[in-house]
Amino acid sequence: MIRTRFAPSPTGYLHIGGARTALFSWAFARHHGGQFILRIEDTDVARSTPEAVQAILDGMAWLDLTHDEGPFYQMQRMDRYRTVLAEMLAQGLAYHCYCSADELDTMREAQRARNEKPRYDGRWRPEPGKVLPAPPPGISPVIRFRNPLEGNVAWKDMVKGVIEFANSELDDLIIARGDGTPTYNFCVVVDDWDMQITHVIRGDDHVNNTPRQINILKALGATVPAYAHLSMILGDDGTKLSKRHGAVSVMQYADDGYLPEAVINYLARLGWSHGDAEIFSREQFVQWFDLDHITSSAGQFNTEKLRWLNQQYLKAADDTRLAELTRPILLRNSLVLDDGPSLAAVCGLVKERAATLLELAEAASLFYRTPAPTAELRTQHLTPDVMPALADLATRLSTLTWERAAISATFKETLAAHNLKMPKLAMPVRVLVTGQTQTPAIDATLELLGRDTVIARLNAAL
């Protein structure tokens, strides 16, 4: 069975790059009828926080990337790590190293002076016939993995193709610190082994960790998973995506009024494609997804493209759902909704031009505010030549069956009776009824506001 995992470090929020990794790992498992595991790699005690864990869980929940197992926490697996460390020491797969920090610094400085790559020189590595010095007092030893000295470690990356490292380039990695705490690369190996992970899909910043992890897995006799390393995501300006590009937290996009399905759709297209398909459902994505069509080049984040995509999803969204999502935004702005028109109907009317839920709420708010047209607007549009037509319109509307088609017909009758063009009459009506000059179609707007409200606002100016 295919088993993938998403293993974030809880040192911050779930960012866009991490969300894409989670999405691809989730989709690969779902496509193959496999299992998706969530693992929280919280061994960086100084930087990991409960708030960051919750931010990751919130982001996953908002995107609806459901996991089959977990979340597992590395800090709750310390006994297992210590057991494996003890076994590796007993089998000669690892050893204690007593080098002090000063000693390691001196070692590296000497290597740089000889134009050599700074690395651990293996001075505490046991070898046949090698006599090791007595452990120095006052030094708590680290544990190092006994990396192969010869040969190569290679894998066929499912995105980047064959990648190979010479073992001579890899020194003996520290797998436990002096205080006994296991290190990242070691914990990852034990976790992937225990959790029977078959495919590791992660960012290409982990490529250099992979040969070390493969060697440890092989030493333990564990099955080596397949690896797929995703290229980084660049910002709008072509540089590495960072905070200065704006909202990079997944939940920030929720706060900014994006729909999760639009973000999912957009993330799916960041480095993967299915022909020319631009807009597709989550179900279609799972059906189509594979690793063969992931590009090895960096994806570039385009905020305007995401806005466009979100607009398409808003247009297609159910009006009742949009009302549920928009209601809290309007209430935060102290608007009273109970006495106004149906919010679902309002959303259905104004959603065509909105790119985010915030814009949708702003467009909807005119139906729940008491209009306060400025003196400038009143002077500009309530001219003496239009006032008789406004009075006539108000009279005609007062006895009307309140439907959009009838309102539209009444406008046309009034325009014909006073020999006016539509903008000459519609604009002052907008100003009086809504307090602004930009609204949806005037007949649809009046229909939703209701007869009593419209007539009262028109009569107040006559």
Side-chain angles (χ1 to χ4, degrees):
M1 177 180 287
I2 298 290
R3 288 173 62 86
T4 65
R5 46 80 159 178
F6 177 54
S9 175
T11 55
Y13 44 69
L14 177 63
H15 55 76
I16 284 295
R20 185 189 63 168
T21 299
L23 173 63
F24 285 9
S25 299
W26 172 87
F28 188 74
R30 292 290 175 264
H31 176 82
H32 291 281
Q35 294 179 321
F36 174 61
I37 290 86
L38 178 60
R39 188 168 79 217
I40 305 297
E41 298 187 339
D42 57 350
T43 55
D44 187 346
V45 178
R47 297 174 61 217
S48 297
T49 66
E51 293 77 15
V53 171
Q54 192 58 51
I56 290 169
L57 297 178
D58 289 344
M60 296 285 285
W62 184 66
L63 293 171
D64 197 22
L65 299 180
T66 54
H67 48 275
D68 301 293
E69 296 178 15
F72 297 105
Y73 295 86
Q74 287 185 330
M75 287 302 293
Q76 297 175 6
R77 288 175 45 79
M78 285 295 150
D79 288 344
R80 170 61 176 158
Y81 302 141
R82 293 189 181 101
T83 296
V84 177
L85 285 168
E87 292 172 352
M88 293 180 72
L89 287 169
Q91 296 170 23
L93 302 175
Y95 60 92
H96 288 113
C97 170
Y98 292 87
C99 285
S100 66
D102 290 341
E103 195 175 356
L104 290 170
D105 288 341
T106 301
M107 182 191 305
R108 296 186 188 105
E109 289 173 6
Q111 289 166 338
R112 291 191 189 97
R114 297 193 297 269
N115 293 320
E116 297 175 0
K117 179 181 177 181
R119 52 182 308 203
Y120 176 67
D121 62 7
R123 62 184 60 182
W124 284 95
R125 176 179 174 126
E127 298 290 1
K130 180 178 181 180
V131 178
L132 296 175
I139 298 292
S140 298
V142 299
I143 299 176
R144 290 184 180 271
F145 169 62
R146 191 183 178 108
N147 194 75
L149 297 176
E150 299 177 348
N152 300 316
V153 54
W155 73 97
K156 185 176 181 181
D157 196 275
M158 299 182 74
V159 172
K160 297 180 175 297
V162 175
I163 300 177
E164 185 171 354
F165 287 78
N167 280 319
S168 58
E169 292 295 311
L170 308 173
D171 58 5
D172 288 354
L173 179 72
I174 294 175
I175 56 177
R177 303 175 184 89
D179 63 0
T181 306
T183 60
Y184 165 78
N185 276 298
F186 176 74
C187 294
V188 167
V189 165
V190 177
D191 290 342
D192 287 344
W193 179 27
D194 286 355
M195 296 173 191
Q196 299 177 306
I197 302 301
T198 62
H199 293 75
V200 173
I201 301 170
R202 59 187 179 186
D204 63 2
D205 53 328
H206 288 283
V207 165
N208 288 334
N209 292 328
T210 303
R212 301 179 181 278
Q213 293 173 10
I214 289 176
N215 278 343
I216 298 174
L217 284 163
K218 288 182 175 179
L220 292 171
T223 301
V224 177
Y227 291 92
H229 289 93
L230 310 175
S231 296
M232 70 172 65
I233 300 175
L234 304 178
D236 296 275
D237 57 2
T239 61
K240 185 177 179 181
L241 192 66
S242 64
K243 289 182 180 179
R244 67 185 179 84
H245 292 97
V248 291
S249 163
V250 166
M251 294 312 294
Q252 185 62 52
Y253 288 98
D255 293 342
D256 289 346
Y258 288 87
L259 297 175
E261 58 266 36
V263 175
I264 286 283
N265 193 156
Y266 185 74
L267 289 177
R269 292 284 285 115
L270 271 180
W272 174 87
S273 63
H274 181 79
D276 296 327
E278 287 283 352
I279 301 176
F280 41 80
S281 68
R282 177 189 301 262
E283 291 73 23
Q284 286 174 314
F285 175 54
V286 169
Q287 180 183 347
W288 293 339
F289 184 74
D290 58 21
L291 298 175
D292 296 336
H293 291 87
I294 295 177
T295 178
S296 59
S297 57
Q300 187 161 351
F301 196 87
N302 185 319
T303 303
E304 286 307 309
K305 183 65 176 290
L306 174 59
R307 278 179 56 82
W308 173 84
L309 194 60
N310 199 63
Q311 186 173 34
Q312 309 314 305
Y313 275 93
L314 282 176
K315 287 180 181 179
D318 176 74
D319 295 341
T320 301
R321 179 190 174 211
L322 290 180
E324 292 172 354
L325 295 171
T326 307
R327 181 178 297 276
I329 303 172
L330 294 168
L331 293 177
R332 283 200 300 270
N333 293 330
S334 302
L335 293 174
V336 178
L337 308 182
D338 294 341
D339 297 333
S342 158
L343 183 53
V346 170
C347 288
L349 178 61
V350 302
K351 67 182 182 181
E352 288 293 320
R353 297 182 182 179
T356 68
L357 289 170
L358 298 185
E359 293 179 9
L360 181 65
E362 176 59 30
S365 65
L366 75 86
F367 291 90
Y368 305 98
R369 285 196 301 247
T370 301
T374 64
E376 182 181 359
L377 281 178
R378 296 177 70 93
T379 300
Q380 181 182 353
H381 296 289
L382 300 180
T383 55
D385 58 328
V386 82
M387 295 306 289
L390 273 175
D392 186 15
L393 179 66
T395 300
R396 293 172 184 263
L397 291 176
S398 63
T399 59
L400 197 66
T401 300
W402 203 254
E403 296 174 351
R404 180 175 179 178
I407 295 170
S408 177
T410 301
F411 260 89
K412 292 176 182 177
E413 293 166 2
T414 307
L415 291 170
H418 295 268
N419 196 26
L420 296 174
K421 299 292 186 182
M422 186 64 170
K424 188 69 175 177
L425 182 59
M427 196 59 75
V429 172
R430 282 191 174 92
V431 169
L432 290 174
V433 173
T434 71
Q436 57 192 59
T437 58
Q438 296 290 325
T439 72
I442 189 63
D443 51 359
T445 300
L446 298 188
E447 180 186 36
L448 280 182
L449 282 169
R451 181 208 314 274
D452 293 345
T453 297
V454 170
I455 299 302
R457 292 177 182 179
L458 289 176
N459 286 336
L462 298 175

